[in-house]
């Protein structure tokens, strides 16, 4: 397959080194262009947790000594050289060293400093690693879905730089399809394992008509921004943002505003008035005082005619009075409640990961078989083309002889038949003699039985 992956991640390298090896922005485009010199296509995946180079090692010409054997194995003709040859283990190792040295030089770091942290995978091991990464099985947060989108963006960059060869593009398509199967057929990504995802999951468990629901965001800090983004992304029809700083609130409003979603900004002083309009409340202010108390909530519920409310309090100290949890029709979750949910979900993901790893192993075997079938199809095309050229050459020589005076058609046709037979049987005959001489009975049986089956097929 000639696929290799070279990289570092959160398991093998400290964040300080990962930062220095990161390939982002224009660096990626330049790197892809430079890697063309010694790869048959490459993709660079660089995130906060990993920097990886996926590349195909170039094919190398077969040596004269190995040509006949490879030609016969690839069903080639009597030429002493094979059509094409896979690079040897030594050649692959040499190219891996080139990529390592290039990376060290590109990032202006000593190879001796980064080499202990680099991992290398080859062929099906590289394919397995790529699929595990794409499926979220190698992520810091098990099963997280963002990495697949990051890989897709990396592939698009490689396409833009014309660094994605046809063969590597085919492998990428197989990886994406297999990663989708892993996520669809197992539960490795089914449960929320971040606060923002857990909050969004709670919303879907309580409300089903989200376009008719209103989200109230109390404070526009980073955590609430993530929660608001995830909940709004579920299709909530209206968002109200209450914040002390109007500029930060307007910035968040700009992120959340869509043609199908109305977003309003209110001052924190207006919170008691707008609370009754909210079906979902997410609060994370950093205030030392309670922002939503029991009296305010009871008043809001009455105004809402006691329609259910979901309140998510991510603040420490808490923004929402904990006694509100005793009120009917109010579902109050604190940050500790969400952490308990996440802990249980992580354990479920770990259990699902066992099934996912088994499926990955099966899918890699299937992908490798498809690759071999695809590859042998190209070799068969090349074999037929070369066979046609040799037969055409012999035929033209025979036609030329037939046009000579005193030519014997019978002798010329007999000679043509003999030369065709010799041409088409030379390489497999040589391979059988070599296998017998070296005691390679497995190869000998394979070639003999294959030829016998081919002759039986013709007779039938």
């Amino acid at each position: 397959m000639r696929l290799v992956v070279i990289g570092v991640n959160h398991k093998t390298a400290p964040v300080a080194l990962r930062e220095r090896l990161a390939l982002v922005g224009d660096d990626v485009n330049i790197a892809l262009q430079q890697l063309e010199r010694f790869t048959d296509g490459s993709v660079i995946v660089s995130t906060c947790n990993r920097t990886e180079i996926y590349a195909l090692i170039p094919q190398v010409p077969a040596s004269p000594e190995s040509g006949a054997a490879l030609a016969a194995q690839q069903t080639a003709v009597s030429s002493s050289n094979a059509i094409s040859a896979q690079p040897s283990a030594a050649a692959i190792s040499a190219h891996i060293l080139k990529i390592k040295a290039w990376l060290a030089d590109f990032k202006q770091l000593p190879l001796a400093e980064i080499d202990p942290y680099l991992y290398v995978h080859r062929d099906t091991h590289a394919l397995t690693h790529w699929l595990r990464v794409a499926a979220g099985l190698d992520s810091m947060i098990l099963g997280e879905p963002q990495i697949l989108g990051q890989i897709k963006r990396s592939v698009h960059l490689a396409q833009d730089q014309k660094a994605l060869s046809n063969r590597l593009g085919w492998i990428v398509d197989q990886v994406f399809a297999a990663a989708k199967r892993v996520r669809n057929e197992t539960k490795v990504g089914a449960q929320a394992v971040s606060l923002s995802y857990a909050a969004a999951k709670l919303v879907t468990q309580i409300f089903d008509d989200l376009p008719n629901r209103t989200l109230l965001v109390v404070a526009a800090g980073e955590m609430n921004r993530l929660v608001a983004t995830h909940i709004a992304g579920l299709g909530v029809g209206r968002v109200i943002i209450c914040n002390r700083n109007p500029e930060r609130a307007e910035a968040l409003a700009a992120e959340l505003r869509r043609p199908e979603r109305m977003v309003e900004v209110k001052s924190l002083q207006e919170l008691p008035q707008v609370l009754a309009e909210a079906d979902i409340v997410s609060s994370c202010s950093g205030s030392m005082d309670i922002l939503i108390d029991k009296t305010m909530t009871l008043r809001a519920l009455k105004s809402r005619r006691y329609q259910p409310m979901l309140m998510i309090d991510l603040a420490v100290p808490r923004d929402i009075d904990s006694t509100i949890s005793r009120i009917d029709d109010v579902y109050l979750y604190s940050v500790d409640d969400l952490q308990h949910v996440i802990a249980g979900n992580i354990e479920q993901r770990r259990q699902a990961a066992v099934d996912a790893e088994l499926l990955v192993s099966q899918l890699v075997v299937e992908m490798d078989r498809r690759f071999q079938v695809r590859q042998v199809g190209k070799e068969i095309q090349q074999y037929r083309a070369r066979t046609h050229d040799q037969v055409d050459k012999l035929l033209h020589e025979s036609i030329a002889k037939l046009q000579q005076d005193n030519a014997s058609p019978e002798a010329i046709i007999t000679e043509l038949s003999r030369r065709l037979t010799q041409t088409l049987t030379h390489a497999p005959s040589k391979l059988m003699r070599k296998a017998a001489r070296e005691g390679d009975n497995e190869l000998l049986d394979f070639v003999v039985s294959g030829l016998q089956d081919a002759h039986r097929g013709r007779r039938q």
Side-chain angles (χ1 to χ4, degrees):
M1 185 173 286
R2 302 185 286 113
L3 177 67
V4 299
V5 55
I6 301 167
V8 295
N9 63 19
H10 57 284
K11 299 175 185 176
T12 69
V15 65
L17 182 60
R18 298 203 306 272
E19 287 174 342
R20 296 166 73 191
L21 287 175
L23 293 165
V24 295
D26 291 338
D27 276 359
V28 177
N29 297 333
I30 297 169
L32 289 169
Q33 292 169 7
Q34 293 185 5
L35 283 168
E36 286 184 35
R37 298 198 304 264
F38 38 86
T39 70
D40 269 354
S42 59
V43 173
I44 295 172
V45 177
S46 190
T47 71
C48 57
N49 287 328
R50 69 183 64 246
T51 293
E52 295 178 331
I53 299 169
Y54 295 87
L56 284 182
I57 301 301
Q59 285 183 322
V60 294
S63 62
E65 293 79 8
S66 63
L70 282 166
Q73 285 177 298
Q74 296 174 1
T75 330
V77 293
S78 62
S79 169
S80 62
N81 291 323
I83 294 170
S84 63
Q86 297 296 327
S88 66
I92 291 175
S93 296
H95 271 84
I96 288 171
L97 183 58
K98 281 184 184 179
I99 295 173
K100 285 182 175 182
W102 167 84
L103 178 61
D105 181 65
F106 189 82
K107 299 305 295 184
Q108 298 182 344
L109 294 168
L111 179 57
E113 180 182 343
I114 68 173
D115 198 38
Y117 300 96
L118 292 171
Y119 48 80
V120 176
H121 301 293
R122 305 181 184 190
D123 297 322
T124 54
H125 295 290
L127 192 59
T128 299
H129 177 81
W130 204 348
L131 178 50
R132 290 187 73 254
V133 171
L137 295 173
D138 196 55
S139 297
M140 183 178 290
I141 299 175
L142 180 64
E144 59 93 2
Q146 287 88 352
I147 185 63
L148 184 57
Q150 291 167 332
I151 294 175
K152 287 181 177 179
R153 286 192 290 274
S154 298
V155 169
H156 290 151
L157 283 174
Q159 288 174 323
D160 291 343
Q161 294 299 316
K162 304 192 184 318
L164 195 70
S165 61
N166 289 336
R167 186 175 304 212
L168 186 57
W170 183 88
I171 293 173
V172 165
D173 290 341
Q174 301 300 305
V175 168
F176 286 161
K180 185 177 180 180
R181 279 192 59 185
V182 171
R183 298 194 69 83
N184 288 342
E185 296 179 22
T186 70
K187 296 183 178 180
V188 72
Q191 303 296 333
V193 292
S194 69
L195 287 174
S196 53
Y197 271 105
K201 191 72 173 178
L202 285 173
V203 171
T204 61
Q205 291 172 352
I206 296 172
F207 301 108
D208 53 9
D209 53 343
L210 292 177
N212 299 320
R213 298 296 176 175
T214 297
L215 166 65
L216 172 59
V217 181
V218 182
E222 180 60 21
M223 177 55 71
N224 238 7
R225 185 187 70 80
L226 291 172
V227 172
T229 300
H230 282 101
I231 294 177
L234 297 173
V236 170
R238 182 185 177 207
V239 178
I240 303 172
I241 303 172
C242 284
N243 195 58
R244 286 191 181 91
N245 184 330
E247 283 128 11
R248 177 173 283 188
E250 288 292 352
L252 178 57
E255 289 184 36
L256 300 178
R257 199 168 277 122
R258 297 287 186 278
E260 70 281 4
R261 183 188 307 133
M262 183 169 62
V263 182
E264 305 168 44
V265 173
K266 304 287 185 180
S267 69
L268 203 56
Q269 288 73 27
E270 296 176 89
L271 178 58
Q273 289 74 46
V274 298
L275 183 61
E277 302 175 41
D279 303 290
I280 307 153
V281 179
S282 177
S283 187
C284 187
S285 73
S287 171
M288 299 302 293
D289 301 316
I290 293 291
L291 299 183
I292 300 175
D293 59 25
K294 189 172 182 179
T295 302
M296 187 190 305
T297 304
L298 287 170
R299 192 182 303 120
L301 270 176
K302 184 177 180 181
S303 177
R304 290 171 54 81
R305 297 186 180 180
Y306 299 96
Q307 294 180 57
M309 296 179 73
L310 169 62
M311 293 187 172
I312 301 168
D313 188 356
L314 301 175
V316 179
R318 285 179 283 196
D319 287 342
I320 303 175
D321 186 347
S322 61
T323 62
I324 291 174
S325 62
R326 301 177 195 147
I327 302 176
D328 291 340
D329 302 315
V330 176
Y331 302 91
L332 174 61
Y333 287 83
S334 69
V335 67
D336 285 348
D337 295 327
L338 292 182
Q339 291 288 9
H340 289 314
V341 172
I342 289 169
N345 290 348
I346 288 174
E347 182 55 34
Q348 290 183 45
R349 283 197 177 190
R350 288 198 185 103
Q351 294 172 8
V354 176
D355 295 331
E357 294 283 7
L358 179 60
L359 181 56
V360 164
S361 299
Q362 295 170 348
L363 291 173
V364 167
V365 171
E366 293 176 12
M367 285 190 286
D368 186 47
R369 286 175 180 167
R370 284 196 294 272
F371 182 85
Q372 299 303 331
V373 169
R374 183 176 185 270
Q375 185 60 24
V376 79
K378 292 182 178 180
E379 300 295 351
I380 289 171
Q381 287 179 350
Q382 294 175 5
Y383 158 65
R384 287 176 173 171
R386 182 167 295 192
T387 301
H388 180 272
D389 290 344
Q390 292 208 350
V391 169
D392 198 47
K393 179 183 176 183
L394 293 174
L395 184 60
H396 277 83
E397 290 177 358
S398 298
I399 291 173
K401 289 179 181 179
L402 285 171
Q403 292 174 348
Q404 295 176 359
D405 295 336
N406 302 320
S408 170
E410 183 178 351
I412 292 171
I413 292 173
T414 300
E415 175 65 10
L416 173 62
S417 176
R418 185 190 67 78
R419 292 180 68 187
L420 283 174
T421 301
Q422 186 178 38
T423 295
L424 298 175
T425 60
H426 174 72
S429 300
K430 189 171 182 178
L431 180 60
M432 284 189 286
R433 284 194 295 269
K434 182 176 183 291
R437 187 168 56 251
E438 296 179 357
D440 192 344
N441 293 328
E442 185 177 350
L443 177 59
L444 181 60
D445 290 344
F446 175 78
V447 175
V448 171
S449 63
L451 291 172
Q452 289 174 345
D453 288 344
H455 285 299
R456 284 195 207 97
R458 284 178 184 175
R459 285 199 296 270
Q460 292 173 357

PDB file of all heavy atoms in Angstrom, residues 131-152:
ATOM      1  N   LEU A 131      -7.866   5.529  10.491  1.00  0.00           N
ATOM      2  CA  LEU A 131      -9.279   5.269  10.743  1.00  0.00           C
ATOM      3  C   LEU A 131      -9.610   5.495  12.223  1.00  0.00           C
ATOM      4  O   LEU A 131     -10.669   6.057  12.555  1.00  0.00           O
ATOM      5  CB  LEU A 131      -9.634   3.841  10.333  1.00  0.00           C
ATOM      6  CG  LEU A 131     -11.083   3.393  10.576  1.00  0.00           C
ATOM      7  CD1 LEU A 131     -12.075   4.407  10.030  1.00  0.00           C
ATOM      8  CD2 LEU A 131     -11.321   2.025   9.958  1.00  0.00           C
ATOM      9  N   ARG A 132      -8.732   5.092  13.137  1.00  0.00           N
ATOM     10  CA  ARG A 132      -8.969   5.314  14.565  1.00  0.00           C
ATOM     11  C   ARG A 132      -9.029   6.819  14.874  1.00  0.00           C
ATOM     12  O   ARG A 132      -9.868   7.267  15.653  1.00  0.00           O
ATOM     13  CB  ARG A 132      -7.875   4.661  15.404  1.00  0.00           C
ATOM     14  CG  ARG A 132      -7.918   3.136  15.393  1.00  0.00           C
ATOM     15  CD  ARG A 132      -6.930   2.526  16.371  1.00  0.00           C
ATOM     16  NE  ARG A 132      -7.402   2.710  17.751  1.00  0.00           N
ATOM     17  CZ  ARG A 132      -6.892   3.570  18.606  1.00  0.00           C
ATOM     18  NH1 ARG A 132      -5.875   4.352  18.250  1.00  0.00           N
ATOM     19  NH2 ARG A 132      -7.383   3.683  19.829  1.00  0.00           N
ATOM     20  N   VAL A 133      -8.130   7.579  14.238  1.00  0.00           N
ATOM     21  CA  VAL A 133      -8.138   9.027  14.442  1.00  0.00           C
ATOM     22  C   VAL A 133      -9.438   9.623  13.910  1.00  0.00           C
ATOM     23  O   VAL A 133     -10.108  10.408  14.591  1.00  0.00           O
ATOM     24  CB  VAL A 133      -6.917   9.681  13.759  1.00  0.00           C
ATOM     25  CG1 VAL A 133      -7.037  11.206  13.791  1.00  0.00           C
ATOM     26  CG2 VAL A 133      -5.624   9.251  14.442  1.00  0.00           C
ATOM     27  N   ALA A 134      -9.820   9.245  12.696  1.00  0.00           N
ATOM     28  CA  ALA A 134     -11.022   9.812  12.066  1.00  0.00           C
ATOM     29  C   ALA A 134     -12.292   9.455  12.838  1.00  0.00           C
ATOM     30  O   ALA A 134     -13.249  10.236  12.870  1.00  0.00           O
ATOM     31  CB  ALA A 134     -11.132   9.328  10.616  1.00  0.00           C
ATOM     32  N   ALA A 135     -12.303   8.284  13.480  1.00  0.00           N
ATOM     33  CA  ALA A 135     -13.479   7.847  14.226  1.00  0.00           C
ATOM     34  C   ALA A 135     -13.500   8.393  15.653  1.00  0.00           C
ATOM     35  O   ALA A 135     -14.456   8.148  16.392  1.00  0.00           O
ATOM     36  CB  ALA A 135     -13.536   6.323  14.260  1.00  0.00           C
ATOM     37  N   GLY A 136     -12.456   9.124  16.047  1.00  0.00           N
ATOM     38  CA  GLY A 136     -12.404   9.695  17.391  1.00  0.00           C
ATOM     39  C   GLY A 136     -11.885   8.752  18.446  1.00  0.00           C
ATOM     40  O   GLY A 136     -11.935   9.058  19.641  1.00  0.00           O
ATOM     41  N   LEU A 137     -11.343   7.588  18.041  1.00  0.00           N
ATOM     42  CA  LEU A 137     -10.854   6.605  19.011  1.00  0.00           C
ATOM     43  C   LEU A 137      -9.471   6.948  19.542  1.00  0.00           C
ATOM     44  O   LEU A 137      -9.033   6.374  20.544  1.00  0.00           O
ATOM     45  CB  LEU A 137     -10.826   5.209  18.365  1.00  0.00           C
ATOM     46  CG  LEU A 137     -12.192   4.633  17.985  1.00  0.00           C
ATOM     47  CD1 LEU A 137     -12.030   3.338  17.202  1.00  0.00           C
ATOM     48  CD2 LEU A 137     -13.045   4.404  19.217  1.00  0.00           C
ATOM     49  N   ASP A 138      -8.781   7.868  18.879  1.00  0.00           N
ATOM     50  CA  ASP A 138      -7.437   8.248  19.320  1.00  0.00           C
ATOM     51  C   ASP A 138      -7.433   9.649  19.921  1.00  0.00           C
ATOM     52  O   ASP A 138      -6.373  10.222  20.155  1.00  0.00           O
ATOM     53  CB  ASP A 138      -6.463   8.181  18.129  1.00  0.00           C
ATOM     54  CG  ASP A 138      -5.004   8.186  18.563  1.00  0.00           C
ATOM     55  OD1 ASP A 138      -4.635   7.326  19.374  1.00  0.00           O
ATOM     56  OD2 ASP A 138      -4.252   9.069  18.115  1.00  0.00           O
ATOM     57  N   SER A 139      -8.610  10.216  20.149  1.00  0.00           N
ATOM     58  CA  SER A 139      -8.709  11.590  20.633  1.00  0.00           C
ATOM     59  C   SER A 139      -8.550  11.665  22.148  1.00  0.00           C
ATOM     60  O   SER A 139      -8.757  10.681  22.866  1.00  0.00           O
ATOM     61  CB  SER A 139     -10.069  12.195  20.244  1.00  0.00           C
ATOM     62  OG  SER A 139     -10.199  12.255  18.841  1.00  0.00           O
ATOM     63  N   MET A 140      -8.203  12.869  22.617  1.00  0.00           N
ATOM     64  CA  MET A 140      -8.105  13.089  24.058  1.00  0.00           C
ATOM     65  C   MET A 140      -9.460  12.851  24.711  1.00  0.00           C
ATOM     66  O   MET A 140      -9.557  12.252  25.785  1.00  0.00           O
ATOM     67  CB  MET A 140      -7.615  14.509  24.344  1.00  0.00           C
ATOM     68  CG  MET A 140      -7.424  14.803  25.822  1.00  0.00           C
ATOM     69  SD  MET A 140      -6.792  16.469  26.138  1.00  0.00           S
ATOM     70  CE  MET A 140      -5.116  16.315  25.524  1.00  0.00           C
ATOM     71  N   ILE A 141     -10.537  13.331  24.064  1.00  0.00           N
ATOM     72  CA  ILE A 141     -11.901  13.029  24.494  1.00  0.00           C
ATOM     73  C   ILE A 141     -12.427  11.921  23.584  1.00  0.00           C
ATOM     74  O   ILE A 141     -12.695  12.146  22.409  1.00  0.00           O
ATOM     75  CB  ILE A 141     -12.808  14.267  24.418  1.00  0.00           C
ATOM     76  CG1 ILE A 141     -12.274  15.375  25.329  1.00  0.00           C
ATOM     77  CG2 ILE A 141     -14.234  13.919  24.803  1.00  0.00           C
ATOM     78  CD1 ILE A 141     -13.035  16.672  25.243  1.00  0.00           C
ATOM     79  N   LEU A 142     -12.538  10.727  24.124  1.00  0.00           N
ATOM     80  CA  LEU A 142     -12.893   9.545  23.342  1.00  0.00           C
ATOM     81  C   LEU A 142     -14.191   9.761  22.573  1.00  0.00           C
ATOM     82  O   LEU A 142     -15.206  10.147  23.141  1.00  0.00           O
ATOM     83  CB  LEU A 142     -13.050   8.343  24.285  1.00  0.00           C
ATOM     84  CG  LEU A 142     -13.428   7.013  23.635  1.00  0.00           C
ATOM     85  CD1 LEU A 142     -12.330   6.547  22.695  1.00  0.00           C
ATOM     86  CD2 LEU A 142     -13.693   5.959  24.706  1.00  0.00           C
ATOM     87  N   GLY A 143     -14.134   9.535  21.258  1.00  0.00           N
ATOM     88  CA  GLY A 143     -15.328   9.605  20.429  1.00  0.00           C
ATOM     89  C   GLY A 143     -15.725  10.989  19.968  1.00  0.00           C
ATOM     90  O   GLY A 143     -16.771  11.152  19.337  1.00  0.00           O
ATOM     91  N   GLU A 144     -14.910  12.013  20.265  1.00  0.00           N
ATOM     92  CA  GLU A 144     -15.308  13.380  19.867  1.00  0.00           C
ATOM     93  C   GLU A 144     -15.376  13.479  18.344  1.00  0.00           C
ATOM     94  O   GLU A 144     -14.557  12.900  17.639  1.00  0.00           O
ATOM     95  CB  GLU A 144     -14.353  14.409  20.469  1.00  0.00           C
ATOM     96  CG  GLU A 144     -12.885  14.241  20.057  1.00  0.00           C
ATOM     97  CD  GLU A 144     -12.533  15.075  18.852  1.00  0.00           C
ATOM     98  OE1 GLU A 144     -13.397  15.807  18.355  1.00  0.00           O
ATOM     99  OE2 GLU A 144     -11.387  14.972  18.392  1.00  0.00           O
ATOM    100  N   PRO A 145     -16.378  14.217  17.825  1.00  0.00           N
ATOM    101  CA  PRO A 145     -16.616  14.234  16.386  1.00  0.00           C
ATOM    102  C   PRO A 145     -15.823  15.286  15.615  1.00  0.00           C
ATOM    103  O   PRO A 145     -15.741  15.220  14.388  1.00  0.00           O
ATOM    104  CB  PRO A 145     -18.118  14.536  16.290  1.00  0.00           C
ATOM    105  CG  PRO A 145     -18.388  15.388  17.502  1.00  0.00           C
ATOM    106  CD  PRO A 145     -17.452  14.890  18.578  1.00  0.00           C
ATOM    107  N   GLN A 146     -15.235  16.265  16.312  1.00  0.00           N
ATOM    108  CA  GLN A 146     -14.602  17.381  15.606  1.00  0.00           C
ATOM    109  C   GLN A 146     -13.432  16.947  14.732  1.00  0.00           C
ATOM    110  O   GLN A 146     -13.170  17.539  13.685  1.00  0.00           O
ATOM    111  CB  GLN A 146     -14.128  18.446  16.597  1.00  0.00           C
ATOM    112  CG  GLN A 146     -15.233  19.261  17.223  1.00  0.00           C
ATOM    113  CD  GLN A 146     -15.773  18.606  18.479  1.00  0.00           C
ATOM    114  OE1 GLN A 146     -15.418  17.473  18.796  1.00  0.00           O
ATOM    115  NE2 GLN A 146     -16.615  19.317  19.200  1.00  0.00           N
ATOM    116  N   ILE A 147     -12.728  15.888  15.141  1.00  0.00           N
ATOM    117  CA  ILE A 147     -11.508  15.498  14.427  1.00  0.00           C
ATOM    118  C   ILE A 147     -11.811  15.099  12.983  1.00  0.00           C
ATOM    119  O   ILE A 147     -11.012  15.369  12.080  1.00  0.00           O
ATOM    120  CB  ILE A 147     -10.774  14.347  15.170  1.00  0.00           C
ATOM    121  CG1 ILE A 147      -9.443  14.016  14.485  1.00  0.00           C
ATOM    122  CG2 ILE A 147     -11.658  13.130  15.280  1.00  0.00           C
ATOM    123  CD1 ILE A 147      -8.447  15.150  14.481  1.00  0.00           C
ATOM    124  N   LEU A 148     -12.967  14.492  12.741  1.00  0.00           N
ATOM    125  CA  LEU A 148     -13.296  14.092  11.364  1.00  0.00           C
ATOM    126  C   LEU A 148     -13.429  15.320  10.477  1.00  0.00           C
ATOM    127  O   LEU A 148     -12.938  15.337   9.337  1.00  0.00           O
ATOM    128  CB  LEU A 148     -14.586  13.271  11.342  1.00  0.00           C
ATOM    129  CG  LEU A 148     -15.000  12.719   9.976  1.00  0.00           C
ATOM    130  CD1 LEU A 148     -13.901  11.850   9.384  1.00  0.00           C
ATOM    131  CD2 LEU A 148     -16.296  11.918  10.090  1.00  0.00           C
ATOM    132  N   GLY A 149     -14.064  16.385  10.992  1.00  0.00           N
ATOM    133  CA  GLY A 149     -14.155  17.627  10.234  1.00  0.00           C
ATOM    134  C   GLY A 149     -12.788  18.254  10.009  1.00  0.00           C
ATOM    135  O   GLY A 149     -12.517  18.813   8.930  1.00  0.00           O
ATOM    136  N   GLN A 150     -11.909  18.151  11.002  1.00  0.00           N
ATOM    137  CA  GLN A 150     -10.556  18.696  10.857  1.00  0.00           C
ATOM    138  C   GLN A 150      -9.782  17.939   9.790  1.00  0.00           C
ATOM    139  O   GLN A 150      -9.035  18.536   9.001  1.00  0.00           O
ATOM    140  CB  GLN A 150      -9.838  18.641  12.208  1.00  0.00           C
ATOM    141  CG  GLN A 150     -10.415  19.604  13.235  1.00  0.00           C
ATOM    142  CD  GLN A 150      -9.923  19.327  14.648  1.00  0.00           C
ATOM    143  OE1 GLN A 150      -9.594  18.195  14.997  1.00  0.00           O
ATOM    144  NE2 GLN A 150      -9.860  20.366  15.463  1.00  0.00           N
ATOM    145  N   ILE A 151      -9.943  16.623   9.731  1.00  0.00           N
ATOM    146  CA  ILE A 151      -9.272  15.831   8.692  1.00  0.00           C
ATOM    147  C   ILE A 151      -9.819  16.201   7.319  1.00  0.00           C
ATOM    148  O   ILE A 151      -9.055  16.324   6.344  1.00  0.00           O
ATOM    149  CB  ILE A 151      -9.442  14.322   8.965  1.00  0.00           C
ATOM    150  CG1 ILE A 151      -8.701  13.922  10.240  1.00  0.00           C
ATOM    151  CG2 ILE A 151      -8.909  13.505   7.784  1.00  0.00           C
ATOM    152  CD1 ILE A 151      -8.906  12.478  10.643  1.00  0.00           C
ATOM    153  N   LYS A 152     -11.126  16.396   7.227  1.00  0.00           N
ATOM    154  CA  LYS A 152     -11.717  16.771   5.936  1.00  0.00           C
ATOM    155  C   LYS A 152     -11.166  18.110   5.455  1.00  0.00           C
ATOM    156  O   LYS A 152     -10.877  18.278   4.263  1.00  0.00           O
ATOM    157  CB  LYS A 152     -13.243  16.826   6.051  1.00  0.00           C
ATOM    158  CG  LYS A 152     -13.884  15.454   6.153  1.00  0.00           C
ATOM    159  CD  LYS A 152     -15.404  15.543   6.233  1.00  0.00           C
ATOM    160  CE  LYS A 152     -16.028  14.151   6.258  1.00  0.00           C
ATOM    161  NZ  LYS A 152     -17.504  14.186   6.351  1.00  0.00           N
TER     162      LYS A 152
END
